[in-house]
Amino acid sequence: MSSVSSGGAIPPRPPQRLGGNLSPQTFAELWRELEPLGRDPGTGGYRRYSWTPADAACRAWFIAQATKRGLTVETDNNGNLWAWWGPKGPNAIVTGSHLDSVPDGGGFDGALGVVTALAAVDLLQDKSYIPERPVVLAVFTEEEGARFGVSCLGSRLLTGAVEPDAARALTDDGGTTLAEAMAAAGHDPGRLGPREDLLDGIGAFVELHVEQGRALAPRGAALGLADGIWPHGRWRFEFGGRADHAGTARLADRRDPMLPYAATALAARQAAEQNGAVATFGKVIVEPNGTNAVASAVRAWLDARAPDEATVEDTVTTIRSAAISFCEQHGVTLSVRQESFTPVVRFDEGLRDRIAATLAVAGFSAPVLPTAAGHDAGFLAARVPTGMLFVRNPTGISHSPAEHADLPDCEAGVRALAAVLADLAGPK
Ligand SMILES: [Zn+2]
């Protein structure tokens, strides 16, 4: 991992072996503080959408926690938070994740990586550890794309993977643009764009995340390491029909967009099964959405993922062709637009081997797993050596209030992350 070099004014100390010394209150106490923020009392799920009051509460909580630990927090031009432990300098070791959620999401996705990072700092500070290189805790904005439709928006903007003008013009379901939402939250949207200076200062990025899927439980492992991320994308399908009376309009006369949409959702499942991919219509907006009215329009979002890019493309082409044919049968118009695409990601092997070695010394064996879930780490990986640590999810359920990780596994994540940070940030 060439970009993590040694140097700096702090004299070297013998390497410390970490583990076993965690005060168990630290993680649990932090967790309890964050837990109520943005949680819907009716569903028990989280609605932490970017640039809303729930998002502001999460940001304020993180800033207060980081400040309490002596870290210096900055909000960058894209709305990402960076909390510096130690003076700013080159070869920073960055860890963190996100605090936003999908609609009625679970509490662990993203938040686990942020809370674990704070608890890992506690553990290291409790041992009087002083990093030779800066350690930075990062919180990326709009990772889920739940409000503005593009996932990992904060890390895409940071790395130049999305045009600032295109980002500013993104709208939520109420028609509010990202620019308007940011401005309303007191953040200048005019400064969106890549930050080469920040990226150049990062020696490595390590994101800890709750496992999304169930690969660790059968292996009896609390922790895992990522080898890569499947390519994935989002497509917006607009089925245009004609509103009519659900009682009086003859079936033969209708132009009902719900029918080709429903057939397309089934075709997506079939195409995914045939191709070894996954394809999901999880968001649908129906107009006018009346029980006694034939719909005038159906907007539906397709999420498609596969082990390689050609398979994603092939799957989506099959689904689009099916939709065209169903629309022709029902006199319905169709437009399909790609909203985002993320190529396959392979994480840095040298960094992964180094993390695995550190974890082994700390007493963890961490299997290496692929993941079909997108992460900010996927965008950082294009620019800096990047790795991911997973914490076991006993049921594998994610993007749901049922998402879970057991406290002992979360605490194992804290010890593991602390060991990794101490190794990477030196002194060696
Ligand atoms: Zn996440």
Side-chain angles (χ1 to χ4, degrees):
M1 203 182 50
S2 56
S3 63
V4 178
S5 61
S6 55
I10 299 162
R13 297 184 305 173
Q16 290 173 283
R17 185 181 163 133
L18 295 174
N21 234 355
L22 172 66
S23 155
Q25 284 79 22
T26 306
F27 179 89
E29 279 171 5
L30 281 164
W31 195 255
R32 269 198 298 276
E33 284 186 33
L34 181 62
E35 208 168 20
L37 305 183
R39 185 164 59 186
D40 183 78
T43 64
Y46 287 92
R47 298 179 180 179
R48 292 171 176 162
Y49 306 141
S50 55
W51 308 113
T52 62
D55 180 56
C58 290
R59 288 168 178 272
W61 176 82
F62 173 77
I63 291 168
Q65 289 297 335
T67 305
K68 205 158 85 180
R69 287 161 176 79
L71 279 56
T72 308
V73 188
E74 289 180 351
T75 306
D76 74 14
N77 54 317
N78 298 309
N80 303 314
L81 297 169
W82 303 84
W84 291 76
W85 179 11
K88 278 191 181 183
N91 281 325
I93 304 304
V94 181
T95 188
S97 193
H98 61 96
L99 289 173
D100 67 318
S101 77
V102 298
D104 287 324
F108 291 81
D109 183 345
L112 182 63
V114 177
V115 173
T116 301
L118 288 163
V121 169
D122 278 353
L123 184 57
L124 292 169
Q125 290 185 342
D126 193 48
K127 291 170 176 293
S128 306
Y129 167 78
I130 298 168
E132 186 175 70
R133 300 178 195 95
V135 169
V136 183
L137 275 48
V139 178
F140 294 101
T141 189
E142 182 74 353
E143 192 273 347
E144 300 287 5
R147 183 167 181 195
F148 293 102
V150 176
S151 64
C152 300
L153 191 58
S155 51
R156 282 182 205 262
L157 282 162
L158 168 72
T159 56
V162 62
E163 288 297 322
D165 281 342
R168 277 187 281 268
L170 292 170
T171 54
D172 67 10
D173 290 342
T176 301
T177 65
L178 174 69
E180 290 163 349
M182 288 181 79
H187 193 89
D188 177 10
R191 295 167 53 236
L192 293 182
R195 285 294 300 275
E196 298 302 325
D197 58 325
L198 269 173
L199 292 165
D200 286 347
I202 300 176
F205 175 58
V206 179
E207 179 170 1
L208 179 144
H209 204 279
V210 69
E211 181 189 17
Q212 295 170 294
R214 192 172 173 277
L216 293 174
R219 291 170 166 86
L223 305 173
L225 282 166
D227 75 341
I229 300 178
W230 281 14
H232 55 281
R234 295 179 181 191
W235 288 262
R236 175 169 159 157
F237 284 59
E238 298 212 18
F239 300 84
R242 188 184 60 216
D244 215 327
H245 194 293
T248 59
R250 295 190 326 146
L251 293 178
D253 293 339
R254 295 183 184 190
R255 290 168 47 206
D256 183 352
M258 193 65 89
L259 302 175
Y261 159 66
T264 304
L266 293 171
R269 169 65 179 242
Q270 199 176 23
E273 278 174 359
Q274 279 167 1
N275 290 350
V278 287
T280 309
F281 281 102
K283 174 176 174 177
V284 181
I285 296 175
V286 179
E287 289 170 4
N289 211 19
T291 306
N292 56 356
V294 174
S296 59
V298 173
R299 272 180 282 155
W301 280 261
L302 172 69
D303 176 305
R305 309 171 192 228
D308 60 82
E309 287 161 32
T311 307
V312 177
E313 202 174 304
D314 187 39
T315 305
V316 174
T317 300
T318 303
I319 297 166
R320 186 193 280 117
S321 303
I324 290 169
S325 138
F326 299 139
C327 284
E328 280 168 3
Q329 289 167 30
H330 292 283
V332 168
T333 61
L334 177 72
S335 84
V336 180
R337 188 159 57 88
Q338 185 181 79
E339 286 197 336
S340 67
F341 187 78
T342 308
V344 68
V345 172
R346 305 252 176 257
F347 291 123
D348 189 282
E349 278 183 37
L351 177 60
R352 186 171 69 233
D353 291 348
R354 184 162 166 177
I355 293 172
T358 303
L359 295 189
V361 171
F364 298 107
S365 81
V368 176
L369 312 168
T371 176
H375 298 287
D376 294 306
F379 287 90
L380 273 290
R383 294 297 310 275
V384 299
T386 295
M388 283 196 79
L389 266 169
F390 293 124
V391 172
R392 171 167 51 194
N393 179 340
T395 64
I397 295 172
S398 186
H399 285 184
S400 148
E403 181 181 85
H404 182 71
D406 290 332
L407 181 60
D409 289 353
C410 297
E411 291 169 346
V414 173
R415 293 195 299 277
L417 186 63
V420 168
L421 294 177
D423 171 55
L424 295 176
K428 292 294 291 176

